[in-house]
Amino acid sequence: MRYLVVGNQTLAGDALRSAVLERARAGPASFHVVVPATPPKDHLMWSEGEASVVARQRLDGALGWMHGADVTATGEVGDASPALAVADALLHDEFDEILVSTLPAGPSKWIRQDLPRRIARRTGIPVTHVVAEAREPERSVL
């Protein structure tokens, strides 16, 4: 099975880790992680370059724990729009399932945008919405 994982702030969370490891244990699986280069809403002035650096660091962290768990994974930094980042990934590969990892309902912009359901409607691919248990404090990376 081939899985597309879409996430940003939640890539190091236990909920996503559990979802990925469950699928990896179920049989042959490979994962492609897309991290939209979205500036965080709590910073007023971020450049595209700074958002890309943070997204790259989060991607590297996710690929690090996946490889450490013997999970086959690749990844890329995507468009700032998560919907466009998914569309771009689908231009280059086919996937059996999409995992959309978000913050809980209160702080999640992606849930307010109805992103998991929108992706499912637009792609016709099964989408699993993985919700982080709690928001972990952001570490400064710049």
Side-chain angles (χ1 to χ4, degrees):
M1 297 280 287
R2 185 91 169 114
Y3 300 93
L4 177 62
V5 177
V6 184
N8 193 313
Q9 296 177 53
T10 58
L11 289 174
D14 291 337
L16 180 61
R17 186 180 307 252
S18 294
V20 167
L21 294 177
E22 175 184 311
R23 285 158 179 79
R25 282 188 220 109
S30 63
F31 297 81
H32 185 72
V33 182
V34 174
V35 184
T38 306
K41 67 180 180 179
D42 56 347
H43 291 76
L44 296 177
M45 300 296 293
W46 273 58
S47 71
E48 284 182 37
E50 290 168 326
S52 291
V53 167
V54 171
R56 169 58 60 189
Q57 290 173 339
R58 289 178 177 153
L59 173 61
D60 291 345
L63 293 177
W65 71 255
M66 288 180 183
H67 293 156
D70 291 326
V71 172
T72 302
T74 58
E76 66 185 288
V77 172
D79 191 275
S81 160
L84 290 177
V86 168
D88 290 344
L90 292 172
L91 291 174
H92 306 291
D93 209 343
E94 294 183 9
F95 300 95
D96 300 297
E97 182 181 10
I98 300 172
L99 303 174
V100 178
S101 180
T102 73
L103 295 168
S108 176
K109 180 179 175 183
W110 290 4
I111 291 176
R112 285 191 302 279
Q113 295 173 346
D114 199 23
L115 184 67
R117 201 174 348 239
R118 284 180 34 225
I119 290 173
R121 276 195 316 263
R122 289 182 181 173
T123 66
I125 299 169
V127 172
T128 298
H129 182 200
V130 179
V131 180
E133 288 89 15
R135 183 173 186 169
E136 297 179 17
E138 286 287 315
R139 289 183 289 170
S140 178
V141 291
L142 296 176

